[in-house]
Amino acid sequence: MIKKFLVFLMFSFIIFADSFKVLTPNESRTYTGKGIFTFAIGDSYKGDWLNGKRNGFGVYVWSNGNKYIGNWANDKKNGFGSLLWSNGDYYEGNFLNDNRTGKGTYIWSTGDIYIGDFLNNIKHGKGILKWVNGDLYEGDWLNGMRTGQGTLHW
């Protein structure tokens, strides 16, 4: 738990070390460069912009306390990033078009951990799920369900 907060602090420090332009709603539609924008719903973004879209590295904070730190392309989470939910759940890994897709690690606030493949936010492919009680499943996943070859240790 401490590690994920240290990672967030480290990335927050790095991104906040440069100077950023505070954007108005009109500027946010076409801006290119480093900028900060607060949306009408209370969410905020601080990072790289390209032609009015989040593009490059940035931090997005939702009004409910969720936070994403990572790469963006064409206004969507793309590439490597970390997502911390306000309930304590945490994901670090690859994103594609706003979805957890590719290799990643998901840690639930309960302490359960999944390390493996994701497709459109769902466990899909090869992966290991370790429950806080010590039980462990290593094997295939299909649409979020254990399937195919795998081993359950308890």
Side-chain angles (χ1 to χ4, degrees):
M1 194 69 143
I2 291 175
K3 178 188 171 206
K4 61 183 157 185
F5 290 115
L6 291 176
V7 169
F8 271 102
L9 288 174
M10 181 182 71
F11 281 122
S12 295
F13 175 76
I14 291 168
I15 196 164
F16 289 102
D18 292 331
S19 60
F20 289 81
K21 178 176 176 53
V22 177
L23 304 176
T24 66
N26 284 341
E27 289 173 318
S28 72
R29 293 186 190 115
T30 60
Y31 183 73
T32 296
K34 294 189 179 300
I36 302 169
F37 184 70
T38 301
F39 298 86
I41 58 175
D43 299 354
S44 65
Y45 174 76
K46 182 175 186 175
D48 298 323
W49 296 79
L50 180 63
N51 299 321
K53 295 187 178 188
R54 294 163 289 192
N55 205 79
F57 187 81
V59 176
Y60 192 100
V61 180
W62 285 264
S63 60
N64 67 3
N66 296 348
K67 182 186 237 183
Y68 172 77
I69 299 174
N71 293 302
W72 297 83
N74 202 27
D75 242 10
K76 295 184 181 205
K77 296 181 286 292
N78 267 295
F80 188 81
S82 299
L83 186 54
L84 177 64
W85 286 266
S86 58
N87 70 356
D89 287 1
Y90 176 76
Y91 172 81
E92 181 175 280
N94 292 306
F95 288 84
L96 181 63
N97 294 321
D98 269 345
N99 294 306
R100 297 183 307 272
T101 296
K103 302 287 184 197
T105 300
Y106 193 108
I107 303 171
W108 285 265
S109 60
T110 61
D112 297 342
I113 300 172
Y114 173 80
I115 301 170
D117 299 327
F118 289 84
L119 181 62
N120 297 322
N121 297 321
I122 297 171
K123 298 181 289 288
H124 190 91
K126 298 283 185 193
I128 300 169
L129 178 60
K130 182 176 182 189
W131 289 270
V132 73
N133 69 1
D135 292 353
L136 182 133
Y137 172 78
E138 181 176 3
D140 297 336
W141 295 83
L142 180 65
N143 296 320
M145 306 295 290
R146 295 178 298 202
T147 187
Q149 297 283 44
T151 306
L152 180 61
H153 306 273
W154 67 95

PDB file of all heavy atoms in Angstrom, residues 18-38:
ATOM      1  N   ASP A  18       7.467  21.285 -13.600  1.00  0.00           N
ATOM      2  CA  ASP A  18       7.480  22.247 -14.702  1.00  0.00           C
ATOM      3  C   ASP A  18       6.385  23.287 -14.518  1.00  0.00           C
ATOM      4  O   ASP A  18       5.493  23.135 -13.710  1.00  0.00           O
ATOM      5  CB  ASP A  18       7.255  21.512 -16.037  1.00  0.00           C
ATOM      6  CG  ASP A  18       8.431  20.626 -16.411  1.00  0.00           C
ATOM      7  OD1 ASP A  18       9.560  20.955 -16.023  1.00  0.00           O
ATOM      8  OD2 ASP A  18       8.203  19.609 -17.079  1.00  0.00           O
ATOM      9  N   SER A  19       6.458  24.334 -15.339  1.00  0.00           N
ATOM     10  CA  SER A  19       5.400  25.346 -15.280  1.00  0.00           C
ATOM     11  C   SER A  19       4.287  24.972 -16.251  1.00  0.00           C
ATOM     12  O   SER A  19       4.530  24.458 -17.339  1.00  0.00           O
ATOM     13  CB  SER A  19       5.973  26.720 -15.613  1.00  0.00           C
ATOM     14  OG  SER A  19       6.522  26.726 -16.911  1.00  0.00           O
ATOM     15  N   PHE A  20       3.061  25.245 -15.845  1.00  0.00           N
ATOM     16  CA  PHE A  20       1.888  24.883 -16.625  1.00  0.00           C
ATOM     17  C   PHE A  20       1.000  26.101 -16.788  1.00  0.00           C
ATOM     18  O   PHE A  20       0.879  26.913 -15.878  1.00  0.00           O
ATOM     19  CB  PHE A  20       1.086  23.776 -15.922  1.00  0.00           C
ATOM     20  CG  PHE A  20       1.767  22.445 -15.947  1.00  0.00           C
ATOM     21  CD1 PHE A  20       2.774  22.142 -15.049  1.00  0.00           C
ATOM     22  CD2 PHE A  20       1.403  21.498 -16.874  1.00  0.00           C
ATOM     23  CE1 PHE A  20       3.404  20.920 -15.071  1.00  0.00           C
ATOM     24  CE2 PHE A  20       2.030  20.263 -16.899  1.00  0.00           C
ATOM     25  CZ  PHE A  20       3.035  19.973 -15.998  1.00  0.00           C
ATOM     26  N   LYS A  21       0.347  26.196 -17.913  1.00  0.00           N
ATOM     27  CA  LYS A  21      -0.596  27.271 -18.173  1.00  0.00           C
ATOM     28  C   LYS A  21      -1.972  26.844 -17.672  1.00  0.00           C
ATOM     29  O   LYS A  21      -2.431  25.749 -17.974  1.00  0.00           O
ATOM     30  CB  LYS A  21      -0.649  27.563 -19.671  1.00  0.00           C
ATOM     31  CG  LYS A  21      -1.646  28.640 -20.050  1.00  0.00           C
ATOM     32  CD  LYS A  21      -1.556  28.942 -21.532  1.00  0.00           C
ATOM     33  CE  LYS A  21      -2.581  29.934 -21.989  1.00  0.00           C
ATOM     34  NZ  LYS A  21      -2.640  31.172 -21.281  1.00  0.00           N
ATOM     35  N   VAL A  22      -2.619  27.711 -16.908  1.00  0.00           N
ATOM     36  CA  VAL A  22      -3.995  27.454 -16.481  1.00  0.00           C
ATOM     37  C   VAL A  22      -4.892  27.820 -17.656  1.00  0.00           C
ATOM     38  O   VAL A  22      -4.872  28.946 -18.141  1.00  0.00           O
ATOM     39  CB  VAL A  22      -4.344  28.276 -15.225  1.00  0.00           C
ATOM     40  CG1 VAL A  22      -5.801  28.056 -14.848  1.00  0.00           C
ATOM     41  CG2 VAL A  22      -3.426  27.908 -14.074  1.00  0.00           C
ATOM     42  N   LEU A  23      -5.681  26.858 -18.108  1.00  0.00           N
ATOM     43  CA  LEU A  23      -6.472  27.030 -19.331  1.00  0.00           C
ATOM     44  C   LEU A  23      -7.897  27.460 -19.035  1.00  0.00           C
ATOM     45  O   LEU A  23      -8.519  26.987 -18.080  1.00  0.00           O
ATOM     46  CB  LEU A  23      -6.500  25.728 -20.122  1.00  0.00           C
ATOM     47  CG  LEU A  23      -5.138  25.140 -20.501  1.00  0.00           C
ATOM     48  CD1 LEU A  23      -5.318  23.802 -21.188  1.00  0.00           C
ATOM     49  CD2 LEU A  23      -4.366  26.102 -21.378  1.00  0.00           C
ATOM     50  N   THR A  24      -8.413  28.326 -19.891  1.00  0.00           N
ATOM     51  CA  THR A  24      -9.831  28.671 -19.866  1.00  0.00           C
ATOM     52  C   THR A  24     -10.567  27.641 -20.717  1.00  0.00           C
ATOM     53  O   THR A  24      -9.940  26.925 -21.502  1.00  0.00           O
ATOM     54  CB  THR A  24     -10.064  30.071 -20.458  1.00  0.00           C
ATOM     55  OG1 THR A  24      -9.719  30.035 -21.849  1.00  0.00           O
ATOM     56  CG2 THR A  24      -9.237  31.130 -19.734  1.00  0.00           C
ATOM     57  N   PRO A  25     -11.896  27.560 -20.607  1.00  0.00           N
ATOM     58  CA  PRO A  25     -12.623  26.609 -21.466  1.00  0.00           C
ATOM     59  C   PRO A  25     -12.345  26.812 -22.956  1.00  0.00           C
ATOM     60  O   PRO A  25     -12.187  25.834 -23.693  1.00  0.00           O
ATOM     61  CB  PRO A  25     -14.085  26.879 -21.121  1.00  0.00           C
ATOM     62  CG  PRO A  25     -14.034  27.349 -19.701  1.00  0.00           C
ATOM     63  CD  PRO A  25     -12.776  28.172 -19.612  1.00  0.00           C
ATOM     64  N   ASN A  26     -12.258  28.056 -23.412  1.00  0.00           N
ATOM     65  CA  ASN A  26     -11.973  28.302 -24.832  1.00  0.00           C
ATOM     66  C   ASN A  26     -10.576  27.827 -25.210  1.00  0.00           C
ATOM     67  O   ASN A  26     -10.393  27.210 -26.258  1.00  0.00           O
ATOM     68  CB  ASN A  26     -12.137  29.780 -25.171  1.00  0.00           C
ATOM     69  CG  ASN A  26     -13.596  30.174 -25.285  1.00  0.00           C
ATOM     70  OD1 ASN A  26     -14.461  29.327 -25.466  1.00  0.00           O
ATOM     71  ND2 ASN A  26     -13.872  31.457 -25.172  1.00  0.00           N
ATOM     72  N   GLU A  27      -9.583  28.101 -24.366  1.00  0.00           N
ATOM     73  CA  GLU A  27      -8.212  27.681 -24.656  1.00  0.00           C
ATOM     74  C   GLU A  27      -8.087  26.164 -24.673  1.00  0.00           C
ATOM     75  O   GLU A  27      -7.321  25.606 -25.470  1.00  0.00           O
ATOM     76  CB  GLU A  27      -7.250  28.237 -23.608  1.00  0.00           C
ATOM     77  CG  GLU A  27      -7.026  29.722 -23.688  1.00  0.00           C
ATOM     78  CD  GLU A  27      -6.192  30.225 -22.526  1.00  0.00           C
ATOM     79  OE1 GLU A  27      -6.431  29.787 -21.390  1.00  0.00           O
ATOM     80  OE2 GLU A  27      -5.300  31.054 -22.776  1.00  0.00           O
ATOM     81  N   SER A  28      -8.824  25.493 -23.805  1.00  0.00           N
ATOM     82  CA  SER A  28      -8.687  24.036 -23.688  1.00  0.00           C
ATOM     83  C   SER A  28      -9.107  23.311 -24.963  1.00  0.00           C
ATOM     84  O   SER A  28      -8.740  22.160 -25.167  1.00  0.00           O
ATOM     85  CB  SER A  28      -9.497  23.513 -22.503  1.00  0.00           C
ATOM     86  OG  SER A  28     -10.883  23.558 -22.776  1.00  0.00           O
ATOM     87  N   ARG A  29      -9.850  23.971 -25.828  1.00  0.00           N
ATOM     88  CA  ARG A  29     -10.326  23.322 -27.065  1.00  0.00           C
ATOM     89  C   ARG A  29      -9.252  23.214 -28.142  1.00  0.00           C
ATOM     90  O   ARG A  29      -9.366  22.374 -29.038  1.00  0.00           O
ATOM     91  CB  ARG A  29     -11.523  24.086 -27.605  1.00  0.00           C
ATOM     92  CG  ARG A  29     -12.728  23.990 -26.711  1.00  0.00           C
ATOM     93  CD  ARG A  29     -13.954  24.647 -27.339  1.00  0.00           C
ATOM     94  NE  ARG A  29     -14.988  24.726 -26.337  1.00  0.00           N
ATOM     95  CZ  ARG A  29     -15.476  25.863 -25.837  1.00  0.00           C
ATOM     96  NH1 ARG A  29     -15.034  27.021 -26.281  1.00  0.00           N
ATOM     97  NH2 ARG A  29     -16.405  25.833 -24.911  1.00  0.00           N
ATOM     98  N   THR A  30      -8.209  24.066 -28.059  1.00  0.00           N
ATOM     99  CA  THR A  30      -7.204  24.090 -29.122  1.00  0.00           C
ATOM    100  C   THR A  30      -5.771  24.098 -28.614  1.00  0.00           C
ATOM    101  O   THR A  30      -4.842  24.078 -29.415  1.00  0.00           O
ATOM    102  CB  THR A  30      -7.399  25.347 -29.996  1.00  0.00           C
ATOM    103  OG1 THR A  30      -7.256  26.510 -29.169  1.00  0.00           O
ATOM    104  CG2 THR A  30      -8.749  25.342 -30.674  1.00  0.00           C
ATOM    105  N   TYR A  31      -5.568  24.090 -27.308  1.00  0.00           N
ATOM    106  CA  TYR A  31      -4.247  24.310 -26.728  1.00  0.00           C
ATOM    107  C   TYR A  31      -3.281  23.167 -27.017  1.00  0.00           C
ATOM    108  O   TYR A  31      -3.654  21.996 -27.017  1.00  0.00           O
ATOM    109  CB  TYR A  31      -4.385  24.497 -25.212  1.00  0.00           C
ATOM    110  CG  TYR A  31      -3.095  24.811 -24.518  1.00  0.00           C
ATOM    111  CD1 TYR A  31      -2.498  26.059 -24.657  1.00  0.00           C
ATOM    112  CD2 TYR A  31      -2.463  23.861 -23.736  1.00  0.00           C
ATOM    113  CE1 TYR A  31      -1.297  26.359 -24.028  1.00  0.00           C
ATOM    114  CE2 TYR A  31      -1.260  24.148 -23.091  1.00  0.00           C
ATOM    115  CZ  TYR A  31      -0.685  25.394 -23.248  1.00  0.00           C
ATOM    116  OH  TYR A  31       0.490  25.684 -22.609  1.00  0.00           O
ATOM    117  N   THR A  32      -2.008  23.536 -27.238  1.00  0.00           N
ATOM    118  CA  THR A  32      -0.907  22.583 -27.344  1.00  0.00           C
ATOM    119  C   THR A  32       0.185  23.049 -26.390  1.00  0.00           C
ATOM    120  O   THR A  32       0.587  24.200 -26.430  1.00  0.00           O
ATOM    121  CB  THR A  32      -0.363  22.505 -28.785  1.00  0.00           C
ATOM    122  OG1 THR A  32      -1.389  21.988 -29.636  1.00  0.00           O
ATOM    123  CG2 THR A  32       0.854  21.611 -28.869  1.00  0.00           C
ATOM    124  N   GLY A  33       0.622  22.139 -25.516  1.00  0.00           N
ATOM    125  CA  GLY A  33       1.660  22.463 -24.535  1.00  0.00           C
ATOM    126  C   GLY A  33       1.323  21.845 -23.198  1.00  0.00           C
ATOM    127  O   GLY A  33       0.537  20.906 -23.101  1.00  0.00           O
ATOM    128  N   LYS A  34       1.918  22.387 -22.137  1.00  0.00           N
ATOM    129  CA  LYS A  34       1.652  21.902 -20.779  1.00  0.00           C
ATOM    130  C   LYS A  34       0.591  22.796 -20.165  1.00  0.00           C
ATOM    131  O   LYS A  34       0.751  24.013 -20.121  1.00  0.00           O
ATOM    132  CB  LYS A  34       2.922  21.929 -19.946  1.00  0.00           C
ATOM    133  CG  LYS A  34       3.967  20.941 -20.455  1.00  0.00           C
ATOM    134  CD  LYS A  34       5.116  20.822 -19.486  1.00  0.00           C
ATOM    135  CE  LYS A  34       6.142  19.833 -19.971  1.00  0.00           C
ATOM    136  NZ  LYS A  34       5.661  18.496 -20.166  1.00  0.00           N
ATOM    137  N   GLY A  35      -0.507  22.166 -19.707  1.00  0.00           N
ATOM    138  CA  GLY A  35      -1.598  22.964 -19.183  1.00  0.00           C
ATOM    139  C   GLY A  35      -2.375  22.291 -18.083  1.00  0.00           C
ATOM    140  O   GLY A  35      -2.280  21.082 -17.880  1.00  0.00           O
ATOM    141  N   ILE A  36      -3.141  23.124 -17.378  1.00  0.00           N
ATOM    142  CA  ILE A  36      -4.022  22.673 -16.297  1.00  0.00           C
ATOM    143  C   ILE A  36      -5.431  23.111 -16.651  1.00  0.00           C
ATOM    144  O   ILE A  36      -5.646  24.267 -17.035  1.00  0.00           O
ATOM    145  CB  ILE A  36      -3.628  23.327 -14.952  1.00  0.00           C
ATOM    146  CG1 ILE A  36      -2.191  23.012 -14.592  1.00  0.00           C
ATOM    147  CG2 ILE A  36      -4.579  22.891 -13.851  1.00  0.00           C
ATOM    148  CD1 ILE A  36      -1.663  23.841 -13.436  1.00  0.00           C
ATOM    149  N   PHE A  37      -6.379  22.193 -16.517  1.00  0.00           N
ATOM    150  CA  PHE A  37      -7.764  22.555 -16.794  1.00  0.00           C
ATOM    151  C   PHE A  37      -8.670  21.872 -15.775  1.00  0.00           C
ATOM    152  O   PHE A  37      -8.494  20.694 -15.467  1.00  0.00           O
ATOM    153  CB  PHE A  37      -8.179  22.139 -18.205  1.00  0.00           C
ATOM    154  CG  PHE A  37      -9.564  22.568 -18.562  1.00  0.00           C
ATOM    155  CD1 PHE A  37      -9.870  23.900 -18.768  1.00  0.00           C
ATOM    156  CD2 PHE A  37     -10.578  21.641 -18.676  1.00  0.00           C
ATOM    157  CE1 PHE A  37     -11.149  24.306 -19.081  1.00  0.00           C
ATOM    158  CE2 PHE A  37     -11.875  22.032 -19.003  1.00  0.00           C
ATOM    159  CZ  PHE A  37     -12.152  23.375 -19.211  1.00  0.00           C
ATOM    160  N   THR A  38      -9.631  22.630 -15.247  1.00  0.00           N
ATOM    161  CA  THR A  38     -10.641  22.080 -14.351  1.00  0.00           C
ATOM    162  C   THR A  38     -11.966  22.057 -15.098  1.00  0.00           C
ATOM    163  O   THR A  38     -12.433  23.100 -15.576  1.00  0.00           O
ATOM    164  CB  THR A  38     -10.761  22.916 -13.065  1.00  0.00           C
ATOM    165  OG1 THR A  38      -9.480  22.922 -12.409  1.00  0.00           O
ATOM    166  CG2 THR A  38     -11.797  22.320 -12.127  1.00  0.00           C
TER     167      THR A  38
END
